[in-house]
């Protein structure tokens, strides 16, 4: 029997339409696994949560890399970037689920960085200021870089 890599196998037994649906199903399963963390680690919340809110070319990626070098901090890159991820319907739930990764990494502080266009253009949040105020009310620390 011939050995196949999974991509070659799928390509050999499916049509282009079926492959497109398989890719789409795989993408949604990946997103679903992120949301499922929320239910698995329901009681776990990081001790400290922060957002790096920045414009482009302000050093937010450098700051993220520096923070990740600390043993107690996990800082994600732009988790609301549509190019990397997908548009999410429940952004606050998604952010909360992402913050629970600290349970898996055994870290007590979670953060991520976001840019203004990701809130206005990419996800069509009508009032980014209100969105950030709600996160602040939930205990998130907002670091603003300019």
């Amino acid at each position: 029997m011939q050995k196949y890599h999974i991509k070659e196998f799928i390509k050999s037994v499916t049509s282009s339409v079926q492959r497109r649906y398989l890719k789409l199903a795989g993408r949604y399963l990946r997103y679903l696994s992120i949301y499922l963390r929320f239910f698995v680690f329901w009681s776990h919340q990081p001790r400290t949560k922060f957002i790096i809110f920045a414009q482009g070319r302000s050093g937010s990626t450098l700051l993220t890399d520096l923070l990740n070098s600390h043993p107690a901090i996990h800082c994600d890159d732009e988790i609301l970037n549509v190019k990397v991820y997908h548009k999410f319907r429940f952004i606050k739930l998604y952010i909360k689920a992402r913050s629970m990764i600290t349970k898996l990494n055994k870290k007590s502080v979670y953060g991520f960085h976001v840019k203004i266009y990701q809130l206005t253009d990419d996800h069509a949040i009508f009032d980014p200021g209100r969105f950030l105020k709600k996160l602040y009310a939930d205990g998130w620390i907002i670091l603003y870089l300019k």
Side-chain angles (χ1 to χ4, degrees):
M1 178 160 177
Q2 213 174 6
K3 286 189 175 183
Y4 282 107
H5 290 287
I6 189 72
K7 288 183 181 180
E8 293 172 356
F9 177 73
I10 289 173
K11 196 172 186 178
S12 69
V13 296
T14 59
S15 69
S16 64
V17 174
Q18 290 170 329
R19 284 193 300 275
R20 187 173 24 209
Y21 283 123
L22 284 172
K23 281 184 182 179
L24 188 64
R27 181 184 306 155
Y28 284 115
L29 284 173
R30 186 173 55 225
Y31 298 139
L32 181 63
S33 71
I34 292 169
Y35 285 116
L36 286 176
R37 276 188 219 147
F38 182 72
F39 298 106
V40 172
F41 301 117
W42 181 268
S43 63
H44 177 77
Q45 288 293 318
R47 186 180 61 196
T48 306
K49 305 172 284 191
F50 65 90
I51 300 168
I52 301 171
F53 183 67
Q55 303 261 342
R57 311 296 302 160
S58 62
S60 58
T61 304
L62 175 64
L63 181 58
T64 300
D65 292 342
L66 289 172
L67 289 169
N68 275 331
S69 67
H70 191 279
I73 299 174
H74 177 83
C75 188
D76 277 330
D77 269 338
E78 302 168 17
I79 64 171
L80 300 179
N81 188 351
V82 174
K83 292 177 185 171
V84 178
Y85 299 99
H86 189 68
K87 289 186 180 183
F88 296 99
R89 299 244 183 234
F90 309 105
I91 293 177
K92 277 185 75 174
L93 179 64
Y94 173 70
I95 291 170
K96 198 168 195 174
R98 290 288 301 187
S99 72
M100 293 177 183
I101 198 168
T102 57
K103 173 73 173 175
L104 298 173
N105 294 341
K106 296 180 175 69
K107 298 189 178 190
S108 59
V109 179
Y110 174 78
F112 68 95
H113 79 268
V114 65
K115 296 190 173 142
I116 185 70
Y117 70 86
Q118 294 168 349
L119 298 178
T120 56
D121 301 339
D122 293 348
H123 291 283
I125 295 174
F126 298 112
D127 189 2
R130 185 171 169 220
F131 175 74
L132 292 172
K133 283 179 186 176
K134 282 184 180 180
L135 288 177
Y136 179 75
D138 288 342
W140 289 80
I141 298 168
I142 299 174
L143 305 171
Y144 175 62
L145 295 181
K146 63 178 186 173

